[in-house]
Amino acid sequence: MDEPSILLIDDEEAFVTTLQERLEMRGFPAAVAFDGQSGLDMIAENPPDVVVLDLRMPGINGVEVLRRIRKQWPGLPVIMLSGHGSDLDFETCIHLGAAMYHKKPLDIGTLIDSVHAVTQGKQQPLR
């Protein structure tokens, strides 16, 4: 079985590039966008199976990107990541339809387990 395709949207270039490389080494096709608008454009052009989305970014933040994804692609699973998120951020993201919410730094195994869970409909709003 092919692994699900992943779009990583995060403004921390070193972090997200390393994450992309680690996912690709494990057989996951992974693309990167360094800001919210670029991520939305990439989804419109070639929707991934899963989006991994940073909460805090300049320009369009992760909550707004999540809102737009839910409006235009309601079935697309989104896993939120945050290095600075609060309980309110968690509740907001889950209310808006995020499949999962994790804090950084995130173990690659946990992310892979989350990707499999959301693509198989077995997710719970973890953090």
Side-chain angles (χ1 to χ4, degrees):
M1 177 175 101
D2 291 333
E3 296 294 1
S5 62
I6 302 168
L7 174 59
L8 304 165
I9 306 174
D10 195 313
D11 64 315
E12 294 179 47
E13 291 186 28
F15 167 77
V16 76
T17 301
T18 300
L19 187 57
Q20 176 190 29
E21 291 169 359
R22 294 180 74 197
L23 287 165
E24 289 179 343
M25 286 173 39
R26 289 162 176 82
F28 290 84
V32 172
F34 298 116
D35 63 75
Q37 186 59 57
S38 297
L40 291 168
D41 293 343
M42 290 174 75
I43 294 168
E45 185 176 311
N46 186 21
D49 295 314
V50 178
V51 172
V52 177
L53 175 62
D54 186 30
L55 182 66
R56 301 243 167 95
M57 298 181 289
I60 304 172
N61 68 29
V63 170
E64 182 58 27
V65 172
L66 177 59
R67 278 191 182 102
R68 294 180 189 189
I69 290 172
R70 281 295 139 256
K71 184 175 180 180
Q72 295 179 33
W73 303 280
L76 180 58
V78 177
I79 298 170
M80 299 299 297
L81 292 182
S82 179
H84 311 284
S86 66
D87 288 341
L88 179 59
D89 291 327
F90 169 79
E91 291 170 17
T92 300
C93 291
I94 297 305
H95 176 75
L96 289 173
M100 292 190 177
Y101 182 105
H102 294 291
K103 292 190 177 181
K104 294 178 185 175
L106 180 65
D107 176 75
I108 190 71
T110 300
L111 180 58
I112 288 170
D113 289 346
S114 295
V115 167
H116 283 143
V118 300
T119 57
Q120 297 169 8
K122 298 177 183 175
Q123 78 274 6
Q124 294 183 9
L126 303 174
R127 60 175 159 164

